[in-house]
Amino acid sequence: MIRLALLCATAALSLIQGCASIGSSAGPERRTSLGTVVGNDDSSSQGTYSWKGVPFARPPVGALRWRAPVDPAPWRSPRSAKAFAPACVQTGRLYGPGLHNRYDETIGSTLGQTLGSEDCLYLNIWAAASGAAHARPVIVFVHGGSNITGYTADPVYDGAALARSQDAVVVSVNYRLGSFGFLDAAPLKTGNAEDDSGNFALLDIVKALEFVQRDIARFGGDPARVTLMGQSAGAVNVYALLTSPMMVARPAPLFHRLVALSGGISTPASLPPGSIAAVQPRPLWTMRGDALLAESLIADGLAPDEGAARIRIRQAEGTSAMADYLRGRSADALLTTIRTRLGPRGLAVSNPIPDGWVLAQDPIAAIRAGRYVKVPVLAGKTRDETKLFPQLLAIRPELGGASGRLLDDAAVFKLAYGYDPEAPAGTTIEQWIPAGYLPADKPATGFDDRTRRLDRIWFEAMRTDVMQALRSVQTEVWAYDFDWDSLPRPLDTIFGAAHTFDLPFVFGNFGPSLYSKFLFTRQNEAGRQSLSNAMMKSLGAFARSGDPNDPALGATWRPWPATISFDADDRASRVTAKP
C-alpha cells in the first residue's frame, strides 16, 4: 500500500510538472485536457505563437441546436489549430465575413445572403513567443455586431500585437448569433434553467471561459488573472455575465476584471425617459419566438396564415413536434424567415433575454444591490459613436426624423474597399449626408448636433447608468473617451471618432479592414501608433493588476466619474485626464 501510494504521488507530480512544462515550453504544440493542438509558429514574423479554431464545445446542431453548449469530444491525434473556424451562421452584412471567412471583396457581394456555419464554437489564442518565468495575464475578447453578425477572423481582432506588446495571452471566442444565440420559444422549453433561458450565446461565452480556466495555463496564461473584454454587442454580453445570477452563484469566478467598450446593460427602468435600452422585457422576446415559429409554418406552406399557424401550434402542445420542426429547418430557411417576415415587423433583432438566471431581470438593480461578480471594470466610449449609425436619426422627430446616410451598405463597402487615402478626397460630404443635416456643424439641426443627441440617449446614457451603479458599490471603476478624429477630409466629419474606431488602437492593428482606408494615412501614422501604444499599455496594466495606470502614459487614471481622453495629433498621442 505504501509503495502504491508512492507510485501515485510520483505519477501525480510528473503530471503536474508535465503540464507546467507544456505551458511554458517553446513551440506551437500544446496538450490540452481534450487533446493536443498544433498551432502556428509566428515567432520570427510577429513574436507570437497562435492557435486558431480550438473547439470549446460540441457543434450546436441537430438535437443540440438551442441547447446549452456541452464539452467537445476529446481527440487522440494532434489536431491542427492553424486556421480560423467558420463564423457562426448569420445573414451577410457590412460587418460580416463574406464567402471566405475573412475581409475581402466578397463581403460586398454577399449582403443579405446566409453565411457561416452552425458548427462554429471555437476560440483562438495568441501568446508571446518569448520565454516567461511567470504566467501571463489573459484577455478574452467577445466581438460585436448587434448580436446578429461578426466573426473572430476580422483582421482588427488579431491578438498578436496586443499579446506581444503586453506580454499577455489573448483569446477571441465565437458565439451563436441571432436567433441561434437568443431565442425564447415555448416549444423548446425543457425545465432546465439554462436551456430555457434562451441565452445560448451567453452560455457559449461561459463555456469558452471554462475552457480558459481549465487549459489556458498550458498556453502560458494565468487562470487567476482573466480579463473578459467585449465591444458593442460584446460589451452588452460581458456586462450580462457580470450581472448574471448564474455567474454569481458559481463558487469561483471565471473572470477577474471586465472591459466593456461601447455598450451597456440597462433596462428602460433605470434610464432617463426616451433613452435606448440594451435589455428589453422578456415578453418582447417571447413574442419574437412565437412569431418565428408561426411565420416559419406559413413560409413552409404548413399554415395559410398566422391564425391557422397558432391553432396548429396549440394542437402540438405537450409533444415535441414543434421543437423537432424548428430544429429540422435549415439555417438558411430560418434566416430567410427572419429577414423577410420578422424584419418588417421589427422583430429581427437579438439581444440578451432577462430570464432571471442567466441574465438578471434588472441588471442595474442587481449591481446596486451588490448581486454581481465584483471585479474591477473599465469602460470605453468613442466620442462620435452614432456617426456609424446615422440611419437611426429617422427614429424620432427630435433627431431629425430622417436617415442621416444616403449610401446603402453595398455602396459604403465598395467605396471603402477601393478608397485611396493618399489621393485627393475621393468622396464628398454631400454624397453621404442628406442636405437637411448640412452644414454638419449647424447648431441644433446639423449632422454633428443630431448625432450627439442620439449618442446622449443611447451610448452615453447606458455607460453613465452602469458606471454610476458600479461606483455606488465599488471604487475600481475606470473609463476612457476615445476622441481621435484625424481622418482625411471629409471623412473626419462623416465619421469622426465613430463606434468601433477605437478597436484598431486597442489591438494595435492598422492593416486592411473595413474602414482602414478611410482612417489611416501616412500623415497620421506616427500619432496613431503612439496612441495605440498608450491604449495597449493601459489595457495591459489593467489585465495585470486591475488598475489601468501605467507610468509611461503621462496622465493618471482616476476612478469614475473621472475619465481619460485618448487622442493624438499627426505626430504623437495626447492622453489627458478629465474630471
Side-chain angles (χ1 to χ4, degrees), residues 67-313:
R67 289 280 189 264
V70 298
D71 289 333
W75 55 91
R76 294 186 178 183
S77 300
R79 180 188 180 106
S80 177
K82 298 186 177 185
F84 290 107
C88 287
V89 69
Q90 60 194 275
T91 297
R93 290 178 173 82
L94 194 57
Y95 307 100
L99 287 176
H100 306 125
N101 197 35
R102 65 173 184 262
Y103 173 71
D104 64 16
E105 69 281 355
T106 67
I107 294 173
S109 61
T110 54
L111 300 174
Q113 298 181 21
T114 297
L115 301 167
S117 171
E118 286 189 77
D119 180 4
C120 66
L121 298 185
Y122 301 82
L123 53 77
N124 316 293
I125 304 167
W126 292 264
S130 59
H134 57 274
R136 296 178 165 109
V138 181
I139 301 170
V140 178
F141 179 70
V142 181
H143 69 76
S146 301
N147 273 318
I148 57 174
T149 189
Y151 61 121
T152 58
D154 188 317
V156 172
Y157 306 148
D158 187 285
L162 181 59
R164 182 184 62 252
S165 68
Q166 300 309 307
D167 194 27
V169 176
V170 176
V171 180
S172 63
V173 302
N174 273 354
Y175 58 96
R176 282 173 277 184
L177 299 170
S179 287
F180 299 94
F182 300 99
L183 186 63
D184 189 20
L188 301 176
K189 306 300 183 183
T190 65
N192 175 280
E194 294 182 9
D195 286 340
D196 292 357
S197 76
N199 288 303
F200 309 106
L202 299 182
L203 296 169
D204 292 343
I205 299 166
V206 171
K207 181 60 73 174
L209 289 169
E210 290 174 347
F211 175 94
V212 168
Q213 281 299 307
R214 187 175 64 238
D215 283 300
I216 205 64
R218 303 164 194 261
F219 300 87
D222 184 354
R225 288 188 298 168
V226 174
T227 296
L228 180 59
M229 177 169 73
Q231 189 270 341
S232 193
V236 175
N237 296 340
V238 302
Y239 274 137
L241 296 182
L242 183 79
T243 57
S244 164
M246 177 186 71
M247 297 294 279
V248 173
R250 294 183 76 100
L254 293 180
F255 58 91
H256 314 91
R257 303 96 164 81
L258 186 131
V259 176
L261 310 180
S262 302
I265 197 64
S266 300
T267 69
S270 59
L271 291 171
S275 298
I276 299 173
V279 177
Q280 298 297 330
R282 188 168 192 178
L284 171 67
W285 303 113
T286 303
M287 178 179 69
R288 182 179 180 275
D290 292 345
L292 177 59
L293 177 54
E295 293 287 2
S296 294
L297 291 168
I298 298 167
D300 289 342
L302 299 175
D305 53 39
E306 188 166 352
R310 296 198 180 281
I311 291 173
R312 182 162 185 161
I313 293 167

